[in-house]
Amino acid sequence: EAQVTQNPRYLITVTGKKLTVTCSQNMNHEYMSWYRQDPGLGLRQIYYSMNVEVTDKGDVPEGYKVSRKEKRNFPLILESPSPNQTSLYFCASSLSSGGGPYNEQFFGPGTRLTVL
Amino acid sequence: ILNVEQSPQSLHVQEGDSTNFTCSFPSSNFYALHWYRWETAKSPEALFVMTLNGDEKKKGRISATLNTKEGYSYLYIKGSQPEDSATYLCADPPRNQGGKLIFGQGTELSVKP
């Protein structure tokens, strides 16, 4: 089944404790992206990747890191989480970065993160 | 950041009503316009990707139109059903900004039986 998977789905952690949220897709998509969803603010893009080893900042990249060493995986790293990073996170992928704007995005199931 | 705005923010209709809502986006440098449907406790799913001025797309009872010159898209739902209850998001990928996708805040639709 074609899908985007994220792990963990739920995470409660404490300020400053490094964490990684994994994202994997099995559709051979070139483009991958991370979003956060906060009430009243909508989906905001954190980072995106046009292909392996190519990543770029979205609109709210502060406090996050990403890497794209393999086509299928795009982990989101919080080196020192803070309470303002408590949010619902979505990973998404689409077929081709070259035709990126024309390709629908496929979203993972979401990760609900709470930073105490 | 270019603004993508959706209206209304929320909508409550009765089963069987037809409804529509709006997505406004900057008309300059238009590239494409995405519509997504997001049910509670699930992840957003693509409905349409629209690229041409005057484009009209349809999926079952849901259809969308696009006016790139004036910068708006309408989403229509004919004969709303309770299972149509969801948040409907539109998104604009700005030209010359790589893979960025800017979402509106969504229209939350509630259909009462």
Side-chain angles (χ1 to χ4, degrees), chain A residues 3-12 19-25 32 34 72-78 89-91 107-113:
Chain A
Q3 59 183 349
V4 179
T5 56
Q6 293 178 229
N7 281 293
R9 295 288 311 279
Y10 303 90
L11 180 60
I12 300 174
L19 66 93
T20 299
V21 184
T22 64
C23 172
S24 184
Q25 49 91 6
M32 298 185 75
W34 276 102
R72 63 183 294 128
N73 296 325
F74 190 45
L76 180 70
I77 303 155
L78 285 72
Y89 291 86
F90 285 103
C91 179
F107 285 80
T111 295
R112 188 164 290 282
L113 172 65

Side-chain angles (χ1 to χ4, degrees), chain B residues 40-54:
Chain B
T40 302
K42 294 187 177 180
S43 45
E45 290 184 347
L47 287 171
F48 308 113
V49 179
M50 309 181 77
T51 56
L52 298 174
N53 185 42

Side-chain angles (χ1 to χ4, degrees), chain A residues 48-78:
Chain A
Y48 62 91
S49 170
M50 308 273 270
N51 213 326
V52 175
E53 302 291 3
V54 181
T55 62
D56 209 346
K57 296 178 180 178
D59 292 316
V60 288
E62 295 78 20
Y64 304 94
K65 286 174 60 175
V66 293
S67 69
R68 187 93 182 272
K69 294 188 171 69
E70 306 164 281
K71 199 171 188 178
R72 63 183 294 128
N73 296 325
F74 190 45
L76 180 70
I77 303 155
L78 285 72

Side-chain angles (χ1 to χ4, degrees), chain B residues 86-97:
Chain B
T87 297
Y88 292 83
L89 300 166
C90 67
D92 169 34
R95 190 181 286 273
N96 299 326
Q97 291 197 41

Side-chain angles (χ1 to χ4, degrees), chain A residues 77-88:
Chain A
I77 303 155
L78 285 72
E79 294 270 1
S80 183
S82 62
N84 64 12
Q85 293 178 297
T86 292
S87 188
L88 176 61

Side-chain angles (χ1 to χ4, degrees), chain B residues 16-32:
Chain B
D17 288 349
S18 293
T19 186
N20 67 86
F21 24 94
T22 307
C23 173
S24 300
F25 54 87
S27 55
S28 59
N29 290 325
F30 175 79
Y31 214 172

